[in-house]
Amino acid sequence: MKKGGEMKLSTTIRYGTRLMLDMAENQQNGPIRIRTIAKRQGISEKYLEKIVRLLRKAGLVDGLRGPGGGYVLASSPDSITLGEILEAVQGKIELCPCLGEPEKCEKHQYCKTRMVWNDINHAVSTRLHSTTLADLRDSVCPAETRME
Amino acid sequence: MKKGGEMKLSTTIRYGTRLMLDMAENQQNGPIRIRTIAKRQGISEKYLEKIVRLLRKAGLVDGLRGPGGGYVLASSPDSITLGEILEAVQGKIELCPCLGEPEKCEKHQYCKTRMVWNDINHAVSTRLHSTTLADLRDSVCPAETRME
DNA sequence: CTTTAAACATACTTATAAAGTATGAATTCG
DNA sequence: CGAATTCATACTTTATAAGTATGTTTAAAG
């Protein structure tokens, strides 16, 4: 009698965020290679490449090719939000199908449940869009959970 | 160049909530058969059965066997929260793996991102645990989106 | 006291999407 | 030119959500 869905954050989001934070913390010495971040973060290089390309396409980072190349943040860490990162790698946050396409919402009852999901969706979205990379970078990790 | 994870609510949660709401709205005439709800909601009967059994195991509904049997809410709609329903069908809400098992959080940086996920996790959880079935039942669906 | 209608239980199948890999082309620096 | 990097696409693998099948147990009703 196993239980159902998990509602987890995907690795694209978690890795993408760590990647951006890594860049915010280390970009003072020019472009950073994906290989470097991959090693530092313990993430597959190829997979990170795939993720960073989404961030690039969204205009959050710039890529510089050739020797000495790498990636740099396209703007200041205090103007990049977690919401932007999330949307870059996974699209608009949409907790259930009917939120994007209300025509699927044919029954009165769906509509009531839909309102709750919509609220929560909105709360999460707001929270993410009001947290910047700089906020994250400057935050302090509580001692109990830190193990560096 | 497809994007990553979707962070959607699973059908178990959505169906489970609709099932509970259906019961809250229709339980005045005694036990309700799963077949009835399945038809009313347009959901597979067998699948709903599977879901309701989780709700039963969690003590949110009671099952009555035999002819004339069915399910009833185990307590009043104003004392059953969406949080309880969600946890019954999918376990504690846990947006990312490290939240349950902090020993996986070995790097300083994870810890910073972890704090955000934890915050959001908490916000969602609180919201769900403070919304009751009765709240849902008595809510009014905005006209624009209602199509009964 | 048998029939029947429901819940209950488990195991299986299928479909979908997440996660990761492989291969190679394009660009740019030295 | 040669090497190091990004860039692009297509593929493979793995996990899990979603749904189905088959059958057992319980209890009301005839």
Side-chain angles (χ1 to χ4, degrees):
Chain A
M1 236 205 264
K2 244 190 66 188
K3 296 195 176 182
E6 292 286 325
M7 194 161 73
K8 287 251 194 288
L9 293 168
S10 61
T11 56
T12 34
I13 297 170
R14 280 158 35 224
Y15 294 175
T17 305
R18 278 162 57 190
L19 180 148
M20 291 293 279
L21 180 54
D22 188 295
M23 290 183 66
E25 290 181 332
N26 297 291
Q27 70 172 354
Q28 58 281 359
N29 309 320
I32 312 180
R33 281 171 305 157
I34 274 307
R35 173 170 305 161
T36 307
I37 300 183
K39 277 210 177 126
R40 197 147 53 201
Q41 298 290 334
I43 300 172
S44 145
E45 188 178 330
K46 273 293 169 198
Y47 194 38
L48 249 200
E49 250 187 33
K50 193 173 162 182
I51 294 171
V52 80
R53 230 167 288 131
L54 294 168
L55 294 165
R56 211 223 114 166
K57 224 186 157 188
L60 298 182
V61 299
D62 290 325
L64 305 164
R65 303 205 210 186
Y71 289 93
V72 291
L73 295 179
S75 47
S76 154
D78 60 14
S79 70
I80 299 176
T81 68
L82 294 189
E84 290 173 310
I85 297 173
L86 186 140
E87 287 177 9
V89 300
Q90 75 140 44
K92 276 239 175 287
I93 175 171
E94 193 179 296
L95 239 48
C96 73
C98 65
L99 291 179
E101 317 161 57
E103 71 276 12
K104 286 193 180 162
C105 180
E106 294 147 351
K107 301 246 174 84
H108 178 57
Q109 223 183 17
Y110 294 18
C111 201
K112 290 182 175 182
T113 54
R114 184 177 178 270
M115 283 168 67
V116 189
W117 309 140
N118 189 50
D119 272 11
I120 292 174
N121 206 76
H122 190 262
V124 171
S125 186
T126 301
R127 180 78 173 72
L128 287 171
H129 280 284
S130 62
T131 306
T132 69
L133 260 192
D135 291 337
L136 245 197
R137 182 196 55 199
D138 301 338
S139 68
V140 178
C141 177
E144 318 89 62
T145 50
R146 184 173 49 217
M147 321 177 174
E148 15 182 12
Chain B
M1 236 205 266
K2 244 190 69 188
K3 296 195 176 180
E6 292 285 327
M7 195 165 69
K8 288 251 195 283
L9 295 168
S10 61
T11 56
T12 33
I13 298 170
R14 280 158 38 225
Y15 294 176
T17 307
R18 277 161 60 189
L19 179 147
M20 292 293 279
L21 180 54
D22 187 296
M23 291 183 65
E25 289 181 331
N26 296 291
Q27 71 172 352
Q28 58 282 358
N29 309 319
I32 312 181
R33 284 170 301 158
I34 275 305
R35 173 169 305 161
T36 306
I37 300 182
K39 278 210 177 126
R40 197 148 50 202
Q41 298 290 335
I43 299 171
S44 146
E45 188 178 331
K46 274 292 170 199
Y47 195 37
L48 249 199
E49 247 186 36
K50 192 172 162 184
I51 293 171
V52 81
R53 230 167 288 133
L54 295 169
L55 294 165
R56 213 227 113 159
K57 221 184 159 191
L60 298 183
V61 300
D62 289 325
L64 305 164
R65 302 205 210 189
Y71 289 93
V72 291
L73 294 180
S75 48
S76 151
D78 60 15
S79 70
I80 300 175
T81 68
L82 293 189
E84 290 172 310
I85 297 173
L86 186 141
E87 286 177 7
V89 300
Q90 75 140 44
K92 277 241 176 285
I93 176 169
E94 193 178 297
L95 237 47
C96 74
C98 65
L99 291 179
E101 316 160 60
E103 71 276 9
K104 285 192 179 164
C105 183
E106 294 147 352
K107 301 247 172 83
H108 179 58
Q109 220 181 22
Y110 293 18
C111 201
K112 290 183 174 182
T113 54
R114 182 176 179 271
M115 284 168 67
V116 189
W117 308 141
N118 189 49
D119 272 13
I120 292 175
N121 205 75
H122 190 262
V124 171
S125 186
T126 302
R127 181 77 173 75
L128 287 170
H129 280 284
S130 62
T131 306
T132 68
L133 260 193
D135 291 336
L136 244 197
R137 181 195 57 198
D138 301 337
S139 69
V140 177
C141 176
E144 320 86 62
T145 49
R146 186 172 48 216
M147 322 179 176
E148 16 182 16

